[in-house]
C-alpha cells in the first residue's frame, strides 16, 4: 500500500482513541461492504505497535466511542449490554460481534461463557479455555471486523462468513493482516445463542490478496 495513505485502522479501541485525540497512523482504511475485504497488509506508523503507549481511555469515553464490532452504534448502545450480561444477544450476528468486541477489550470470561460446552474447540476445562483465549488476546491487536454473509438452515442455527483484521504481535507488529472464517452458532431452548466453532476457507486462493507467504497464527479466531 502507498505509504502516503494516512488514516487510522478502524474497529479497535486504539483506533477510536486515536481518532478522538486527532492522532494518526499510516494504515490504509478497511472498506465495509458485501465484496470489500479488509486489507491483508498495511503498514503501521512510526512508533506504532508493541512499544506504543496510547493514553488510557476512561469508562465514559469507552461507552461513547463507536463499538469495536463495526456497527454504527456506540459501545454503550451496542455490545456493552451483552458483555456485561445485562442482556442476551438476540441474534447470532449480535453474538459474533460481541465476542469480537470482547477480544478487543481482553475479556476472556465472555468468550468462555458464550462458547458451547459441546463445541469441539472447548477443551473441557473452563480455566484451560480461558488461558488459551488470553494467549490469543495478548498476541493480537484487533483492527476491524467485516461480516459478508449469513445462512440459517433453521431458526436456531446460523453460519456467518466474516473477516477480521489484526496485528499479530508474535510475528510482525508493523503489519495489519486479515483472514476469512466461517463461524457456526446455535440457539438452545432458552433462546440463548452459543458459538459452536469455526473453520477457515479450504482453498488458499480464497484468502485476501497478500495473505500468501506471511506466517499467520495456526488457530481459529473463534468469534
Amino acid at each position: 500500500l502507498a505509504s502516503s495513505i494516512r488514516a487510522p485502522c478502524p474497529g479497535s479501541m486504539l483506533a477510536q482513541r486515536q481518532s478522538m485525540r486527532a492522532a494518526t497512523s499510516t494504515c490504509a482504511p478497511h472498506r465495509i461492504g458485501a465484496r470489500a475485504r479488509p486489507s491483508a497488509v498495511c503498514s503501521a506508523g512510526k512508533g506504532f505497535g508493541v512499544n506504543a503507549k496510547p493514553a488510557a481511555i476512561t469508562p465514559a469515553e469507552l461507552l461513547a466511542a463507536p463499538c469495536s464490532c463495526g456497527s454504527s452504534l456506540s459501545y454503550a448502545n451496542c455490545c456493552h449490554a451483552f458483555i456485561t450480561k445485562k442482556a442476551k444477544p438476540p441474534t447470532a450476528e449480535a453474538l459474533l460481534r460481541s465476542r469480537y468486541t470482547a477480544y478487543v477489550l481482553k475479556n476472556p470470561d465472555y468468550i468462555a461463557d458464550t462458547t458451547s460446552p459441546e463445541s469441539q474447540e472447548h477443551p473441557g476445562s473452563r480455566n484451560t479455555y480461558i488461558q488459551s483465549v488470553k494467549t490469543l488476546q495478548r498476541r493480537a491487536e484487533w483492527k476491524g471486523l467485516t461480516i459478508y454473509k449469513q445462512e440459517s438452515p433453521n431458526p436456531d442455527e446460523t453460519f456467518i462468513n466474516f473477516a477480521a483484521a489484526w496485528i499479530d504481535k508474535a510475528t510482525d507488529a508493523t503489519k495489519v493482516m486479515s483472514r476469512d472464517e466461517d463461524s457456526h452458532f446455535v440457539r438452545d431452548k432458552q433462546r440463548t445463542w452459543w458459538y459452536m466453532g469455526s473453520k477457515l476457507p479450504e482453498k488458499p486462493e480464497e484468502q485476501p490478496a497478500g495473505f500468501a507467504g506471511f506466517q499467520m497464527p495456526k488457530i481459529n479466531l473463534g468469534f
Side-chain angles (χ1 to χ4, degrees), residues 8-210:
C9 288
S12 70
M13 290 301 171
L14 174 59
Q16 293 156 14
R17 292 197 296 272
Q18 289 175 324
S19 175
M20 292 167 65
R21 293 178 170 82
T24 61
S25 73
T26 57
C27 254
H30 304 309
R31 295 180 299 150
I32 303 298
R35 303 304 302 172
R37 297 187 178 256
S39 297
V41 182
C42 65
S43 298
K46 181 179 181 181
F48 184 87
V50 293
N51 294 323
K53 294 182 180 179
I57 187 170
T58 67
E61 288 176 327
L62 175 62
L63 290 171
C67 193
S68 295
C69 75
S71 71
S72 60
L73 301 174
S74 68
Y75 174 59
N77 293 316
C78 192
C79 293
H80 176 257
F82 309 140
I83 292 176
T84 57
K85 301 181 181 179
K86 295 179 180 178
K88 291 182 179 181
T91 64
E93 179 180 337
L95 177 57
L96 184 149
R97 289 184 178 277
S98 63
R99 283 171 62 90
Y100 173 85
T101 300
Y103 271 106
V104 174
L105 298 178
K106 294 181 170 54
N107 185 331
D109 291 282
Y110 184 74
I111 303 301
D113 291 342
T114 54
T115 298
S116 171
E118 299 178 3
S119 169
Q120 293 183 353
E121 297 180 18
H122 203 297
S125 165
R126 175 183 170 84
N127 289 336
T128 300
Y129 187 62
I130 285 179
Q131 289 306 313
S132 67
V133 171
K134 286 182 176 180
T135 298
L136 177 57
Q137 290 177 334
R138 285 192 297 267
R139 177 173 181 167
E141 185 175 318
W142 303 101
K143 293 298 178 182
L145 172 68
T146 305
I147 295 176
Y148 298 126
K149 63 180 180 179
Q150 303 183 42
E151 296 180 359
S152 298
N154 62 72
D156 297 321
E157 186 176 27
T158 297
F159 297 87
I160 302 179
N161 174 250
F162 69 94
W166 80 101
I167 287 177
D168 181 6
K169 294 183 287 187
T171 56
D172 189 338
T174 67
K175 302 293 183 181
V176 175
M177 306 301 298
S178 69
R179 184 170 70 188
D180 285 18
E181 279 194 27
D182 294 299
S183 283
H184 179 203
F185 300 88
V186 298
R187 185 169 58 176
D188 63 20
K189 294 181 179 180
Q190 287 72 44
R191 304 188 65 78
T192 298
W193 281 99
W194 297 91
Y195 167 76
M196 288 297 295
S198 62
K199 64 178 181 179
L200 303 177
E202 295 181 359
K203 299 180 180 180
E205 59 266 28
E206 293 180 10
Q207 296 290 358

